[in-house]
Amino acid sequence: MVWVYLQLIQINILPVMNIMKYLIKFLILGVLWGKIEPVKAQNSIEKDSLYQIHLKNVNVYGKDLTRRNSLYQYTPLQVRSLVTVLGEPDVMRYVGTLPGVTQGIEGTMGFFIRGGNSGNNRIELDGVPVYGATHLFGFFSSFHSDIVQDVEFRSGGMPVSSGNLLSALSQITTLQPDTQKYHGGFSISPYMLGGSVNGPLSKKVSFQLAARISLLAAEYKLLHKTLHKVLNENLESDLDFKGDVKPWVTDVYFKLYFHPQERKSFTISGYISNDYFKYQWNKYGWITNSIRLSWGNEFVRFGWENKLSEYCQMRTMAYVNHFYAGQKWMSQKDIELPENIPVKNDRIRTALYEVAFQKKLQYNKKNWSIEAGIEGKFQHFQPAVKSVQTTVERDEMKMGDQPNAGTLVLFGEMKYAYKILQLKLGIREALFLGDDRNFFNTDVHVSSLINFKRGWGIEMDYDYLTQYQHVMEGLPVGWSLDMVIPASRLLPPEKAHQIYLGSFYSHGFYYVSVGGYYKNMKHLASYKNASNIFGIENSSWEEEVCTGEGESYGMEIRAEKKGRDWNATLSYTLSKTDRQFDEINKGRKFPFRFDRRHVLNLTGRILIKTKEKKQQYLNLGLAYASGHYLTIPQNMYKGVLPPYWGQALGGISSEMQELAYSRQLMSDINAYKMTDYFRMDIGYTFQKQGKHHYRELTIGVYNIFNRKNPYLLFYDENKWKQLSIMPVIPSIQWTMRF
């Protein structure tokens, strides 16, 4: 369009072209700056006399997204090049490729950022915190990519409007429903079936709806019957496959957008995510065992915006939020047995109910940007640990307290930009009202940025953070079976001081950043021994937790290249993280379990073939990390036998007697380092742009070399054995959008 404009203004022979010159100039400037709307045809110009000019497709590579080690902004388009475990496009998977991020169990969403725990991260969907943000044991997030406009990931320089975190903040902004025409999409993979649609309901009301549902239950049932039939026919035997698996995964998102006036708008949105998994099998032929897991998150959000003037606007939000997670393990007798044989029913369940309100005023004029607001929140916690053991004679249940908590917050932030300098100062005052104690804390955020000439600059961030709830992590997978408990006299709020200093350079479509951070954490909560929460001898979770400190420091490097034919990103982190608890490891400092000294991630996308409306891309990924740490048994010793032990055991085998009173001598906490982690992924994408729709087929192979990366090391049958989680995994996903 700019080229057309330049050609037109050079032609000044005919008088009418002089008039058109200024008209076109006015229209172009208006569209570029968004100050005017297209005008209707005047009486002097007949509507049928207007000509349409079709321009060729132009590839535009955005350079306005922020790229710094403490702040990354990205869109779902950038996530498509990542090869995932299950082939599902995942906007949160991109976080695992950024510097400062360490992964827990391979392939899952358990991320440990700048030395913090996974529970120290905060994920927001349009400002609402999502506590259960993963599907299928943490293998992918519960956010449909079709609803996402962009994601802003921060590991430093936090905004004051968000708090209650210690490590990183991921803010997901959803798309605004189209007010002119309908759009939609459909996708299918071996694991999920999804669809989305958005568009106008009337002149002032539009909507958005997206949902996904798993195909695993139907696929398992079909595969189970097929294998059963094939094996029986080939082996000429009547095989009875023990066990029954019932997985269920679903998520739903909706939004209604109402704009009665140009300066006012209202939204109502909702989000539901649910996972359910059941496995049942027979033991000894007469006891049926089953395990059931369920977790999810759901909320309803109300929001309204009012633009008071050209420089000032008011934003208000209120929501009701519910998070839950639970596990149930059962043993049931199929036949009549003596009364002294117990039947177990062990349960663990946690839940959080939350109601919140936030109002903030934003002012932007010239070099100044000011934000101030107020926030109120009420929370009801159910950090319950139930343990039930039933026999004919005994039936007992133990459960923890269910505390309430309230939070009142005042926050303010000021930004100033002058030539090459940018400064930000934010203060967040919070009063936490607990059941047994109140806490008053001030969070402080300071950021400075200096942009020198030729794309070079330096940045500095300082954050003093407070988290008023503790996430007791059982397994480091990023899934939701973690107990959430509020701060109390026993467990004060978690705190952290963090400073980052770095430099960056950009030229054209190339970008490089390097920096270092230091982080000190206090009042971190941890289980003394996480396995004890599954026992029936615990009266409550309070007896199994303790608090301690943590320290982390390191260097982060990021390099990117964007272009038409190929693009690539490289992230490298060199870091060290420690923990110290008075009641763990005899009070001695020990390395954090996922203190990976070196972490390197490389991703790339290459344009292989292109035509007018078709493209083919090759996607590559490489991940390397130092091994994580484990606590392992070093030796065995015999316990003291009770009186008449031999007579009491009767006919029990000598092997079972040996196990009954053998004890393991454990190493210091996290004293053993596993071998290094390495993985390479490859994928291929076919894209076709039709007249009214867009199609995409992606085929991927995760861990193409089938490397057996170690996760767990254990001693069994007189030898050491290694547990690996992820072998080579192929995937396929097909998408259509209109």
Side-chain angles (χ1 to χ4, degrees), residues 48 67 159 175 195 245 284 334 378 430 589 656 726:
D48 294 337
R67 287 288 191 272
L175 289 167
V245 179
Y284 307 126
D334 296 329
F378 172 80
K589 184 180 292 187
M656 294 184 65
M726 291 293 164

Side-chain angles (χ1 to χ4, degrees), residues 74-98 109 111 558 567 569 601-605 618-622 679 681-685 696 698-702 731 733:
Y74 59 93
T75 66
L77 182 63
Q78 298 169 262
V79 181
R80 294 182 185 177
S81 61
L82 299 181
V83 181
T84 61
V85 179
L86 304 181
E88 286 290 321
D90 192 344
V91 294
M92 294 306 299
R93 180 63 58 182
Y94 191 78
V95 172
T97 68
L98 299 178
M109 302 291 291
F111 296 138
R558 174 81 168 182
N567 58 73
T569 62
N601 286 282
L602 175 63
T603 62
R605 170 171 263 204
L618 177 65
N619 308 316
L620 299 172
L622 183 146
R679 188 192 79 248
D681 312 320
I682 188 170
Y684 203 85
T685 301
E696 180 176 293
T698 300
I699 302 172
V701 181
Y702 182 89
S731 64
Q733 207 252 5

Side-chain angles (χ1 to χ4, degrees), residues 581-629:
F581 295 82
D582 292 338
E583 300 179 66
I584 300 177
N585 202 42
K586 300 179 181 179
R588 298 192 299 267
K589 184 180 292 187
F590 58 91
F592 181 50
R593 183 177 184 182
F594 295 104
D595 172 30
R596 300 183 186 270
R597 192 59 42 85
H598 305 278
V599 178
L600 184 143
N601 286 282
L602 175 63
T603 62
R605 170 171 263 204
I606 304 173
L607 179 62
I608 301 298
K609 187 177 181 181
T610 181
K611 290 184 178 180
E612 183 178 357
K613 296 183 179 181
K614 296 181 181 179
Q615 293 84 32
Q616 297 180 19
Y617 293 93
L618 177 65
N619 308 316
L620 299 172
L622 183 146
Y624 168 82
S626 301
H628 64 279
Y629 290 88

Side-chain angles (χ1 to χ4, degrees), residues 216-217 220-222 224-225 240-247 276-282 288-292:
L216 294 173
Y220 171 80
K221 187 176 181 179
L222 178 63
H224 186 275
K225 290 182 177 180
D240 184 16
F241 290 96
K242 306 293 183 181
D244 182 27
V245 179
K246 294 182 179 179
Y276 175 81
F277 177 82
K278 177 184 177 182
Y279 177 55
Q280 181 173 307
W281 72 101
N282 291 334
T288 300
N289 294 331
S290 68
I291 183 171
R292 301 179 184 180

Side-chain angles (χ1 to χ4, degrees), residues 500 515-519 552-556 573-576:
Y500 171 83
Y517 75 91
Y518 174 80
K519 187 174 187 177
S552 181
Y553 52 90
M555 179 182 68
E556 302 170 353
T573 304
L574 172 66
S575 63
K576 187 177 188 303

